[in-house]
Amino acid sequence: MSSSRDVKANPEWRKMTEIQRGALLFQIKCQRCHANSEKDNYRRGPNLWGVVGRYAGLQGYKKYSEELKQSGLFWTRKNLKKYMHDPKKTVPGTYMFYGAELRAQVQADCVVSYLESISPGYQQRISKYKADKKVEDSNNNDINRACVTASRGGECPNGNVRSPQQSGSGSGSTGNSEVINCISDQESYWNGVKTVWSNLFQINLTLPPSPN
């Protein structure tokens, strides 16, 4: 396989735009298995028209591996390049075979630029994906903070506040049996988790029985 240095040294290659280079590489490396037109049928692999800015394995193609369908991969430039570099390492069990690998970074860059050019609206889809992920990450952080607060003292899910003496971390701690311990108070803890999830996601949870 030609190295990145060999490719860049080719005078014809140097005259092309990155998208033109990607289109040429697509014909050489990809087109035997993948269509690149909106109205084309599927070939050995899925049609790659509009691939950038969509989730892996969720197009109408019927022969995706279960591993790819369940991977949760969203096709950004970064993820596409990673997948092209080593498909089976990125998604173990994928049907993408080794002959499709693009080891040279410049080749992957060009092919992804070409795929972007045949993916109308990809920038808006990626922006929405990033915004949704930011909200999801923020919600997860809120849940984690609530659980950490409950486990370390301070304001517990049931609204009680533990003092340093109550948590056993301050001077003069007596270990009074009447002190509220939010870790052992499992029923209050689970009710607190239920409240956090309900407030964040507007859903009602059926929680497991309180642990002993």
Side-chain angles (χ1 to χ4, degrees):
M1 180 181 292
S2 298
S3 68
S4 173
R5 182 179 300 176
D6 294 336
V7 170
K8 290 181 178 179
N10 186 306
E12 293 301 317
W13 178 268
R14 292 171 66 89
K15 292 177 184 177
M16 298 178 182
T17 66
E18 185 159 279
I19 292 176
Q20 288 173 329
R21 295 167 187 163
L24 179 61
L25 284 168
F26 187 92
Q27 291 178 41
I28 296 169
K29 297 286 292 183
C30 315
Q31 203 158 19
R32 181 176 63 175
C33 297
H34 298 283
N36 59 343
S37 171
E38 183 178 13
K39 297 181 180 179
D40 260 348
N41 293 323
Y42 301 117
R43 298 182 184 173
R44 180 175 179 178
N47 188 339
L48 296 184
W49 172 269
V51 65
V52 185
R54 74 184 183 207
Y55 281 96
L58 300 184
Q59 198 189 7
Y61 181 67
K62 303 297 184 184
K63 297 182 180 180
Y64 289 118
S65 67
E66 284 301 315
E67 289 80 2
L68 187 63
K69 287 191 288 187
Q70 296 176 20
S71 68
L73 265 180
F74 187 82
W75 292 130
T76 60
R77 170 174 282 268
K78 178 180 178 180
N79 286 340
L80 279 164
K81 287 171 61 178
K82 183 179 178 182
Y83 188 69
M84 290 175 181
H85 181 70
D86 194 337
K88 293 191 178 297
K89 181 178 180 181
T90 306
V91 183
T94 184
Y95 295 153
M96 185 94 156
F97 69 104
Y98 72 92
E101 294 175 357
L102 292 173
R103 291 290 182 178
Q105 191 74 12
V106 65
Q107 292 180 337
D109 273 323
C110 291
V111 170
V112 174
S113 291
Y114 172 66
L115 292 177
E116 288 175 345
S117 77
I118 60 170
S119 298
Y122 79 91
Q123 292 170 313
Q124 291 87 344
R125 292 193 296 274
I126 290 176
S127 294
K128 184 179 184 304
Y129 164 77
K130 290 181 177 179
D132 291 346
K133 191 173 189 304
K134 186 176 180 180
V135 171
E136 179 184 351
D137 291 344
S138 176
N139 289 340
N140 288 337
N141 288 337
D142 288 343
I143 293 169
N144 291 337
R145 280 195 294 270
C147 294
V148 169
T149 298
S151 67
R152 293 182 179 176
E155 185 174 349
C156 303
N158 63 0
N160 292 308
V161 177
R162 299 169 70 193
S163 67
Q165 288 75 20
Q166 288 173 327
S167 65
S169 60
S171 60
S173 176
T174 63
N176 191 319
S177 62
E178 295 180 359
V179 168
I180 296 174
N181 187 323
C182 289
I183 299 305
S184 62
D185 188 359
Q186 294 291 342
E187 183 175 357
S188 295
Y189 174 77
W190 283 110
N191 286 336
V193 171
K194 179 178 179 180
T195 300
V196 170
W197 276 80
S198 298
N199 289 341
L200 285 174
F201 302 111
Q202 289 79 51
I203 58 174
N204 294 318
L205 297 180
T206 302
L207 294 175
S210 300
N212 294 325

